[in-house]
Amino acid sequence: MPRWLIPLIILLVVIVAVEIYTFQAFKTISNSKFVRFLFLTASVGVYIYFFLTVLTYDRGNGQTPQFQMAMGLMLTVSIPKLIIILVLFGEDIFRWILKLISAISSGDTKPLAGRRKFISQIALGLAAIPFASFIYGIIYGKYNYKVLKYSLTFKDLPEAFDGFTITQISDIHSGSFTNKEKIKYGVDLINKQKSDIMLFTGDIVNNKADEMDNWIDVFDKLEAKEGKFSILGNHDYGDYMDWENPQDKIDNFQQVKDIHKKIGFDLLLDEHRYLEKDGQKIALLGVENWGKGFNQAGDLKRTSSGVNKEDFKILMSHDPSHWEYKVKQDPFNYHLTLSGHTHGLQMGIEIPGWLKWSPSKYVYKQWAGLYQEAGRYINVNRGFGYHAFPGRVGIWPEITVIELKKG
């Protein structure tokens, strides 16, 4: 028996069990054969589409929009079903406890009490919330661009840079895009901020340079008065797909780096640039990707070579784990670090001033937004694009505008 057959059989058994269990909720609240047929048809259709896509897609093409849609639809129908299972399972435990008490106290041998209709209604009502949210996230949420503005004060900021503005974008992931008009709208919104400089903090593609071919004429319209600068992200190295030969990967990596020049960005590869105003200057540093546990290409010391310790420094580093494990405690003192990478997992709940939650927080200590420690800041941009899941639920695509102020 092939090794892969046993896990497949187990998966199919789990799927059948989940479908039978969740079907009970529909069966309890409705006698309509049409409703039951619709539920079963939709579930089977999603499973067929998912397995056909996963089993036939060419890993050499990376994550295509079709693959992402298959993943998105699977999540859209699976998570609501988990909620239904939790509610019904809770009711089942309650029913068995009542049955056991009745049997012990009075010798009752009646069959187990049937499911209560209102419990099934509650289960379906709760499941409808993530279902509707995921549908919205796939259709509209991934284009629900938000401009987040911060004003940061530093005692040692040169006077000439008081009021200096930065627009940060991150994680374009052009290989996921399908709607050019929506992306143009996002680019126009970026330009409306009219910041002094624009900084892009990595992941311009999912895997391959040619993913950007249809979008260069959109992103080359980005504007900033004092220049545009960028770094690489973990996806830009081509590490997440199978290459026919090593040279193809090398060539692709060079082509990815060339994209930045085509859209007018100065790509910093463990390098720095000085920004000057009225005879004063600040240092802008761009490190290659460094992530905890994988792809530690970046060299912070090489990036800082030629920069003075007393200089005011802005560091671009794609993965926020770099700040947590290396940057924030470095005596060289990097005043402001700009990162991306996490996307906030593209799903979560954010109510400004009240609640900020995403499963991403269990992986990254700094996962979205602005953080401060010992007078040093990091902003983790939630990303402009999307990846893996073809949408956003509660964690919207972000354009960050930061104003530097003299303390």
Side-chain angles (χ1 to χ4, degrees):
M1 181 182 293
R3 278 189 210 174
W4 55 267
L5 189 57
I6 294 176
L8 181 60
I9 291 173
I10 293 172
L11 178 61
L12 290 175
V13 169
V14 170
I15 288 174
V16 171
V18 166
E19 292 304 312
I20 291 174
Y21 208 71
T22 53
F23 183 68
Q24 302 305 311
F26 287 88
K27 188 177 179 181
T28 302
I29 68 168
S30 176
N31 293 321
S32 170
K33 291 183 179 180
F34 175 75
V35 171
R36 299 177 184 181
F37 176 77
L38 189 64
F39 168 77
L40 292 174
T41 301
S43 295
V44 171
V46 169
Y47 286 126
I48 291 174
Y49 180 64
F50 175 79
F51 283 110
L52 281 178
T53 301
V54 170
L55 295 175
T56 60
Y57 103 104
D58 182 2
R59 181 169 162 76
N61 292 325
Q63 281 197 15
T64 62
Q66 180 186 6
F67 178 87
Q68 292 183 6
M69 184 56 69
M71 292 288 292
L73 290 176
M74 180 61 83
L75 283 172
T76 301
V77 300
S78 297
I79 291 179
K81 287 176 182 177
L82 290 178
I83 292 175
I84 292 173
I85 288 173
L86 288 174
V87 175
L88 296 187
F89 185 67
E91 185 195 19
D92 285 345
I93 292 175
F94 181 73
R95 289 193 300 155
W96 278 106
I97 289 174
L98 290 181
K99 170 67 177 175
L100 184 60
I101 292 173
S102 179
I104 293 173
S105 62
S106 61
D108 185 9
T109 57
K110 292 180 181 178
L112 187 68
R115 292 193 183 279
R116 290 169 291 180
K117 184 176 181 178
F118 83 94
I119 296 294
S120 294
Q121 290 173 332
I122 290 173
L124 289 171
L126 291 174
I129 296 172
F131 180 78
S133 298
F134 274 63
I135 294 296
Y136 174 85
I138 291 173
I139 298 174
Y140 301 108
K142 59 190 176 186
Y143 306 121
N144 188 22
Y145 302 105
K146 299 297 182 184
V147 179
L148 302 184
K149 297 185 177 184
Y150 304 102
S151 181
L152 305 182
T153 301
F154 300 91
K155 292 180 180 179
D156 51 353
L157 179 72
E159 294 261 1
F161 287 88
D162 185 26
F164 192 78
T165 53
I166 302 164
T167 288
Q168 180 199 0
I169 56 173
S170 192
D171 298 270
I172 288 174
H173 286 287
S174 55
S176 302
F177 292 156
T178 57
N179 189 320
K180 204 158 193 174
E181 291 305 311
K182 296 292 187 180
I183 304 305
K184 285 181 178 179
Y185 165 76
V187 168
D188 289 341
L189 188 59
I190 294 170
N191 285 335
K192 284 181 180 179
Q193 308 315 309
K194 299 187 181 299
S195 293
D196 292 302
I197 61 170
M198 187 175 299
L199 304 180
F200 169 64
T201 47
D203 278 359
I204 202 164
V205 296
N206 292 341
N207 293 289
K208 299 174 72 176
D210 61 11
E211 295 168 9
M212 192 66 178
D213 288 353
N214 292 329
W215 306 100
I216 287 176
D217 64 336
V218 177
F219 286 93
D220 67 1
K221 304 297 189 300
L222 288 170
E223 301 171 351
K225 292 177 281 188
E226 305 294 333
K228 303 182 294 183
F229 304 87
S230 59
I231 57 171
L232 298 173
N234 55 303
H235 281 268
D236 297 323
Y237 293 81
D239 291 339
Y240 302 112
M241 61 179 292
D242 296 328
W243 299 93
E244 290 187 8
N245 61 72
Q247 188 60 46
D248 288 344
K249 182 179 179 181
I250 293 170
D251 293 342
N252 180 76
F253 186 44
Q254 183 58 54
Q255 291 163 13
V256 168
K257 290 187 285 187
D258 291 342
I259 291 171
H260 293 254
K261 186 176 182 180
K262 291 179 181 179
I263 61 174
F265 278 80
D266 182 0
L267 177 63
L268 305 186
L269 302 168
D270 286 350
E271 300 172 276
H272 71 273
R273 304 284 187 267
Y274 274 109
L275 307 176
E276 296 192 18
K277 286 189 72 176
D278 301 333
Q280 297 180 322
K281 62 183 181 179
I282 62 176
L284 175 65
L285 304 95
V287 68
E288 288 202 49
N289 188 73
W290 192 102
K292 179 64 175 176
F294 67 98
N295 197 327
Q296 298 182 355
D299 188 328
L300 191 57
K301 287 187 176 180
R302 181 167 65 236
T303 304
S304 304
S305 178
V307 176
N308 300 315
K309 184 177 181 179
E310 62 272 15
D311 290 335
F312 185 89
K313 294 175 283 294
I314 300 172
L315 173 68
M316 293 188 290
S317 181
H318 178 70
D319 191 318
S321 66
H322 192 204
W323 190 78
E324 174 64 20
Y325 291 102
K326 294 289 184 180
V327 176
K328 73 177 184 181
Q329 70 268 29
D330 194 301
F332 205 59
N333 186 22
Y334 299 89
H335 298 75
L336 172 62
T337 300
L338 302 177
S339 299
H341 180 63
T342 70
H343 302 205
L345 205 66
Q346 294 171 210
M347 56 187 71
I349 304 171
E350 289 196 86
I351 304 174
W354 290 88
L355 179 63
K356 179 181 173 182
W357 179 88
S358 163
S360 185
K361 70 176 294 183
Y362 303 115
V363 181
Y364 295 93
K365 188 174 180 180
Q366 298 82 27
W367 59 273
L370 189 68
Y371 302 82
Q372 179 187 11
E373 193 167 325
R376 302 175 186 186
Y377 291 89
I378 180 173
N379 183 67
V380 184
N381 184 285
R382 293 161 180 80
F384 181 85
Y386 50 93
H387 184 252
F389 173 64
R392 285 179 175 265
V393 180
I395 306 292
W396 312 120
E398 177 181 340
I399 301 161
T400 311
V401 178
I402 298 175
E403 181 185 25
L404 304 180
K405 298 295 292 181
K406 174 75 174 178

